[in-house]
Amino acid sequence: MKLAVVGGGSTYTPELIDGFARLRDELPVTEVALIDPNPSRLDLVAGVSRRMLEHAGHPAKVVATASLEEGVAGASAVLIQLRVGGQAARDVDETLPLRCGCVGQETTGAGGLAKALRTVPLVLDIAETVRRAAPDAWIVDFTNPVGIVTRALLDAGHRAIGLCNVAIGFQRRFAAALGVEPSRVTLGHVGLNHLTWERAVYLDGEDVLPAALASEHGDEIAAALGLRVELLRRLGVIPSYYLRYYYAHDAVVREQLEKPSRAAEVAAMEEELLRLYADPAVVTKPDLLSQRGGAFYSEAAVALISSLLGDRGDTQVVNVRNGGTLPFLDDDAVIEVPAAITASGAAPLPVAPVEPLFRGLIAHVSAYEELALRAALHGGADRVRDALLAHPLVGQDAVTEELTGLLLEANRGFLPWTVG
């Protein structure tokens, strides 16, 4: 079985390789093709990936190439994990909105829109190559903003599923807090990518969330999210940590103005990770990688690909067409919910009616995502303005006007339609 990783020079890749090595019985990989246009990064990441597999006694070979067509040819699944513009562009996404009093974040708000504008056209080009060179392959998208990118892929008719590590990360951490195996914990997860709530946490089928929130676990969870435990207990849910940008917007802006961007922190980590990857003595995943983000990313990928290729019919949280699951959204919207995974793809499972407090925000952001996709596909300053005006983290005319100019100027080198 051949798997291809677009953006294989990412410092994330050894996390994925570690998952292939540990979970070899679930996913019998024989070849991993790492595809990246940056030869120096690709060589370092491919080198450590080979050493890791050899150290683990895994027989798969690692092929490194700058050729997309060569890399994806014959693949059973293609994972996309790219970042257009690298950490430098991310730094702009995280700092530019602060000039207008808005949260600076790379996947939501104005920063998330900028990333979508840069990313969607390239991912669609990649997917067309996959369609030609590996027509039966599944495309698994990790590239943010996952919801918008996944909808772009599905609208273009590609065999694609979006995947995020938020749900699996929460499941694993909750299982650890309860002292049980993760397989015994399932989630009442609902929303959009990076806009989700856990409305239930089932241990062997029994919802333990109310008791957990009422106990010291509730205080721990709230502290990790940067939210008041009183809010969590009143709502009876656990929001994803991205909800802090909505529920504590002004506090987050103040914090962001006082410290370096996350992009600056990650760029420093990446330099050190690449130095470690260059060391022939490094044959396992470095501890530093856990600080890079993407916890449990490899386990989520292995589980999804195994189920798609093995027709397992198990339940996983993925990004998938709404198709009536949330009746207040268009059928074509992409949502993040538990779904049954088979060889035919992901089928969302029924969801209990969503409370108005959550339903309103989901509908609001879903409308923004539709407008953001139009802007990414067709360009135009007015489409960018519309998307920003629709986003609840922006939403004011004067701010929208200023941000549109700043965003387009900062991304001119990535958006051909801004030239001329």
Side-chain angles (χ1 to χ4, degrees), residues 223-290:
L225 296 174
L227 294 171
R228 295 185 308 117
V229 69
E230 292 80 8
L231 174 67
L232 274 58
R233 287 172 177 158
R234 181 169 64 82
L235 299 181
V237 300
I238 301 178
S240 83
Y241 52 85
Y242 290 93
L243 264 298
R244 186 167 188 260
Y245 300 125
Y246 298 82
Y247 293 161
H249 176 278
D250 293 354
V252 171
V253 170
R254 289 193 296 270
E255 291 170 7
Q256 290 180 333
L257 286 168
E258 294 173 357
K259 64 181 183 180
S261 69
R262 174 63 177 166
E265 295 175 355
V266 171
M269 285 184 206
E270 288 197 331
E271 286 187 16
E272 177 62 15
L273 283 169
L274 290 171
R275 188 189 67 77
L276 291 170
Y277 296 165
D279 183 352
V282 174
V283 295
T284 58
K285 179 178 67 174
D287 291 340
L288 179 62
L289 191 53
S290 65

Side-chain angles (χ1 to χ4, degrees), residues 4-14 16-17 32-38 41-46 48-49 62-65 79-82 277 297:
V5 183
V6 180
S10 168
T11 55
Y12 270 139
T13 298
L16 188 62
I17 297 297
V32 181
L34 303 182
I35 307 159
D36 202 288
N38 186 323
R41 287 178 68 113
L42 183 58
D43 286 348
L44 291 175
V45 173
V48 73
S49 297
V62 175
V63 175
T65 179
L79 289 78
I80 302 180
Q81 55 169 31
L82 55 86
Y277 296 165
Y297 149 77

Side-chain angles (χ1 to χ4, degrees), residues 174 178 206-218 233:
F174 213 97
L178 294 171
E206 179 182 353
D207 186 8
V208 298
L209 181 57
L213 287 177
S215 72
E216 67 275 6
H217 289 312
R233 287 172 177 158

